[in-house]
């Protein structure tokens, strides 16, 4: 794993956006795997800024997101679909029909997982997968203990993840209890992985993911086995390594 030290959140966001921009410039029709959450927001803002300057063109880009809450429609303000449009897609020239997220309203989890993996396969796989990491080491919504060989599947969110994500909802009870997520297998099939991490709360997870044993107890640790994974972290997130 290549580790890039950034000074702070803004520096992390700019460096990560640079890597994504390079991908889009090198392969305009690339498949970008995208993430939600607080960490990549600054990265998306930077990409929008460069798009507005005329430096980036998303017209041929296709995106596949890591995950979506189960049981809420895409129009829901807290759906990951809404997040992606608010933070990136509404502000760049991406074709909305080239944007994919799991369908949180599909009640058949096996069918939804198979459908989503078939889309990714049909697209020819992900060129660059952007990832955040949970305080507990999760990537996507692959919580500690997940089987590494899973493709897209339905997960029960852990109490700690519901706790961490309640800030996006009016109250904790509103946070969905399940989500569809790309599995570790799906994530590991991406040709390149870009992991972003910011803040002291991520320091333990980053240390365990980068230098601890490769174990399902720390889902992010599997990235040590990825042939082309880059971590961009700010000083606080990298403070223990
Ligand atoms: C988001 C995702 C999650 C987050 C992780 C970190 O699509 O899959 O794994 O990347 O929970 O979230 P933040 O960035 O909010 O700390």
């Amino acid at each position: 794993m290549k580790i890039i030290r950034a000074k702070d959140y803004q520096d992390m966001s700019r460096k990560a956006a640079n890597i994504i921009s390079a991908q889009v410039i090198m392969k305009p029709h690339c498949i970008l795997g995208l993430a939600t959450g607080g960490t990549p927001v600054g990265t998306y803002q930077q990409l929008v800024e460069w798009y507005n300057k005329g430096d980036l063109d998303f017209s041929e880009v296709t995106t596949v997101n890591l995950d979506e809450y189960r049981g809420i429609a895409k129009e829901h303000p807290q759906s990951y679909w809404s997040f992606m449009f608010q933070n990136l897609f509404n502000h760049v020239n991406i074709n909305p029909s080239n944007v994919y997220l799991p369908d949180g309203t599909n009640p058949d989890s096996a069918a939804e997982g198979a459908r989503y993996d078939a889309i990714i396969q049909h697209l020819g796989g992900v060129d660059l997968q952007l990832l955040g990491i949970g305080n507990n080491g999760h990537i996507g919504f692959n919580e500690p203990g997940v089987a590494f060989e899973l493709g897209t599947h339905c997960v029960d969110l852990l109490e700690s993840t519901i706790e961490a994500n309640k800030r996006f909802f009016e109250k904790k009870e509103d946070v969905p209890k399940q989500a569809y997520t790309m599995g570790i297998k799906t994530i590991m099939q991406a040709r390149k992985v870009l992991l972003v991490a910011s803040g002291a709360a991520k320091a333990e997870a980053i240390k365990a993911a980068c230098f601890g044993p490769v174990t399902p107890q720390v889902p992010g640790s599997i990235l040590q086995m990825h042939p082309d994974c880059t971590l961009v972290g700010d000083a606080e997130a990298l403070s223990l390594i």
Side-chain angles (χ1 to χ4, degrees):
M1 191 187 298
K2 192 178 292 169
I3 300 177
I4 299 178
R5 285 186 183 266
K7 285 195 290 288
D8 51 23
Y9 180 76
Q10 214 194 342
D11 189 31
M12 178 207 76
S13 301
R14 227 182 0 250
K15 285 179 160 64
N18 259 306
I19 294 170
I20 297 170
S21 296
Q23 175 66 68
V24 173
I25 291 167
M26 296 292 282
K27 186 177 175 186
H29 59 287
C30 64
I31 314 296
L32 293 181
L34 297 178
T36 61
T39 316
V41 168
T43 305
Y44 295 147
Q45 283 169 355
Q46 185 64 76
L47 290 173
V48 170
E49 203 181 307
W50 287 333
Y51 166 75
N52 285 332
K53 279 188 178 162
D55 289 343
L56 269 177
D57 177 10
F58 288 85
S59 60
E60 293 178 57
V61 171
T62 297
T63 64
V64 285
N65 259 79
L66 276 172
D67 39 22
E68 178 59 283
Y69 288 119
R70 185 172 186 226
I72 61 177
K74 59 185 185 185
E75 295 78 18
H76 189 288
Q78 301 307 335
S79 72
Y80 283 172
W81 175 277
S82 298
F83 175 100
M84 288 310 303
F85 275 85
Q86 279 160 19
N87 285 285
L88 182 65
F89 301 153
N90 281 340
H91 312 290
V92 297
N93 64 337
I94 196 157
N95 180 345
S97 61
N98 290 343
V99 157
Y100 297 92
L101 285 93
D103 177 3
T105 63
N106 189 344
D108 184 337
S109 33
E112 183 54 23
R115 184 191 75 86
Y116 202 63
D117 282 337
I119 289 172
I120 296 171
Q121 207 177 355
H122 179 74
L123 291 169
V126 173
D127 290 299
L128 174 64
Q129 177 66 55
L130 177 64
L131 295 178
I133 189 164
N135 299 352
N136 63 7
H138 74 213
I139 52 174
F141 272 134
N142 295 282
E143 302 283 20
V146 71
F148 280 163
E149 58 271 27
L150 286 176
T152 302
H153 62 288
C154 178
V155 290
D156 295 329
L157 300 181
L158 291 184
E159 186 56 29
S160 55
T161 299
I162 292 174
E163 190 61 37
N165 286 6
K166 73 177 184 199
R167 65 191 195 277
F168 299 112
F169 290 81
E170 242 172 63
K171 46 187 193 313
K172 189 175 161 188
E173 295 68 51
D174 294 342
V175 185
K177 306 284 179 287
Q178 291 185 314
Y180 288 124
T181 182
M182 283 186 196
I184 298 290
K185 180 175 155 193
T186 331
I187 292 170
M188 288 297 281
Q189 283 170 345
R191 285 182 272 283
K192 285 190 173 78
V193 172
L194 171 59
L195 173 64
V196 286
S198 167
K202 300 291 169 67
E204 285 289 353
I206 285 295
K207 183 181 167 196
C210 297
F211 294 105
V214 176
T215 165
Q217 291 316 314
V218 182
S221 65
I222 191 71
L223 299 173
Q224 293 175 37
M225 312 291 283
H226 194 282
D228 191 352
C229 176
T230 302
L231 160 64
V232 182
D234 67 10
E236 288 184 344
L238 303 190
S239 58
L240 298 179
I241 60 171

